[in-house]
Amino acid sequence: MAVEPGVDLDALHELTRLADYVVPFAIRVACDLGVADHLAEGPRTVDDLAEATGAHAPSLHRLLRALAGEGVFAETEPGVFGLTQLAQPLLTAHPLSLRAAYPLLPADINALARIDWCLRDGRAAFDRVYGEDYWSHLSRHPDQSAAVDAWMAGLNRVHLRTVASARDWGAARTVVDVGGGNGAFLAGLLARHHGLRGVLLDLPHVVAAAPGVLAEAGVADRCEIVPGSFFEQVPAGADLYVLKTVLPGWPDPQARSILRTIRAAMPATGTLVLLEAVIADDEKFDVAKLVDVHTLVVSGGRHRDRRELAALLAEAGFDLRRVVPTPTLTLVEAIPTGRESTG
């Protein structure tokens, strides 16, 4: 069939792929069903997979066929599917498993469906879809809160490996993980640095799962759990405070309040470390730019570039000391204003 001059069919096909709803949802439901785990020993028929996962075989076939077209799974022969290199991180046993990092979260999805509201007024859509903010919603829905914890735990395994060499974590005596969830990231730090002690601060319903996480990592005897709000009070006197993917969840006034609470608790010799996706000042692909849109929708927060972070820190009594990109998050280190940096 003749194509009209000047029409780039490849561009049209690529745009169609990028605008597609199906693949992201299909990957996530495959993760929830544990499809990759059931293929760990080799290819299996759709009927076998359906029985193992509790799925409807013809529907599962249609979903896996679509994913095979994107290189996620392979149809090795008609009706038989196996793993591909792209599917390997979806295995629970993979050292950097992302299976739990891609859950189907209906609350997030319903909010994203009203992203148009955000573009009209800059406010989170989530609050208006559900009549409460994201964090309040999670506190009232333990199953969804647990799914978010598992999502973060999956990402933490990757983050720990990439930020481990970004600074000398073991030089600190005590680290306070502010808004540290169920303690998965802090547990990983303590397990790597046996001379380090930890303090975990987060809301009561969030840290409820922390004792098991810390015990499993063998670090419970070196970590104190403090239920509380980082808007009100942060444990005082530590030499290192960490905010991992916390500030982007909040607009500037609340982010500034969190930083000021930490500054009030921190000794003059203390150090603050932010671990987050910092927006790059170019038009290249950047995961931070995608996550920033999700943040706008669910919480009204924002990811920031280096200049914006420096200004926010200065307003809260900190001097930005250094910025260290890693293959995942960026490490931003700050010290109390006026203290001479030795680094």
Side-chain angles (χ1 to χ4, degrees):
M1 182 177 68
V3 177
E4 185 177 336
V7 174
D8 186 342
L9 285 180
D10 289 339
L12 292 176
H13 290 154
E14 178 65 6
L15 187 60
T16 299
R17 189 183 70 81
L18 289 173
D20 174 52
Y21 284 131
V22 175
V23 172
F25 283 76
I27 290 173
R28 288 168 184 270
V29 75
C31 287
D32 284 353
L33 291 174
V35 171
D37 287 347
H38 292 292
L39 296 174
E41 301 301 320
R44 297 177 67 175
T45 66
V46 167
D47 287 340
D48 282 349
L49 286 171
E51 183 176 357
T53 62
H56 177 247
S59 299
L60 181 62
H61 187 192
R62 294 163 71 177
L63 182 133
L64 293 177
R65 181 176 61 192
L67 288 179
E70 295 289 342
V72 185
F73 306 116
E75 191 166 13
T76 57
E77 56 184 281
V80 178
F81 289 87
L83 295 175
T84 61
Q85 196 65 29
L86 197 56
Q88 290 291 330
L90 303 184
L91 289 163
T92 302
H94 191 279
L96 296 179
S97 176
L98 292 175
R99 178 189 169 185
Y102 300 130
L104 270 177
L105 294 172
D108 290 38
I109 293 164
N110 291 335
L112 282 163
R114 296 318 321 231
I115 190 173
D116 56 314
W117 293 349
C118 304
L119 297 183
R120 291 193 182 100
D121 59 21
R123 294 165 48 215
F126 191 98
D127 306 42
R128 289 172 279 182
V129 171
Y130 287 96
E132 60 185 345
D133 66 60
Y134 188 67
W135 316 112
S136 298
H137 184 84
L138 291 181
S139 72
R140 295 196 312 102
H141 294 84
D143 57 331
Q144 294 183 38
S145 182
V148 171
D149 282 346
W151 164 25
M152 292 309 302
L155 294 177
N156 276 332
R157 282 189 289 272
V158 180
H159 293 162
L160 278 164
R161 292 191 178 214
T162 56
V163 306
S165 61
R167 79 180 311 272
D168 183 6
W169 299 95
R173 297 182 301 277
T174 302
V175 55
V176 180
D177 193 351
V178 181
N182 65 5
F185 179 77
L186 182 56
L189 276 185
L190 297 179
R192 286 165 168 77
H193 303 283
H194 295 183
L196 187 61
R197 300 193 65 84
V199 181
L200 175 67
L201 172 85
D202 214 317
L203 296 171
H205 77 275
V206 178
V207 298
V213 172
L214 297 169
E216 184 178 356
V219 299
D221 60 329
R222 290 189 284 122
C223 189
E224 178 186 0
I225 300 171
V226 179
S229 168
F230 45 49
F231 289 114
E232 298 171 2
Q233 190 173 11
V234 170
D239 49 345
L240 182 61
Y241 289 78
V242 173
L243 279 171
K244 180 179 179 292
T245 62
V246 171
L247 291 186
W250 301 95
D252 284 354
Q254 290 91 333
R256 195 178 301 115
S257 177
I258 296 167
L259 290 171
R260 285 174 174 164
T261 305
I262 294 173
R263 180 63 192 91
M266 179 188 290
T269 55
T271 299
L272 171 67
V273 168
L274 310 179
L275 292 169
E276 57 188 70
V278 177
I279 300 287
D281 188 21
D282 57 42
E283 59 182 31
K284 296 178 182 177
F285 172 79
D286 183 359
V287 172
K289 296 173 184 176
L290 300 181
V291 178
D292 183 47
V293 176
H294 178 266
T295 302
L296 166 65
V297 171
V298 300
S299 71
R302 57 192 292 259
H303 285 70
R304 300 165 177 91
D305 60 27
R306 178 173 178 156
R307 178 187 55 80
E308 291 166 334
L309 276 175
L312 191 66
L313 287 163
E315 292 167 355
F318 290 97
D319 289 336
L320 190 150
R321 182 186 184 191
R322 62 191 188 115
V323 177
V324 184
T326 82
T328 55
L329 302 176
T330 296
L331 183 146
V332 178
E333 199 167 278
I335 58 176
T337 300
R339 190 182 95 203
E340 185 177 349
S341 172
T342 58

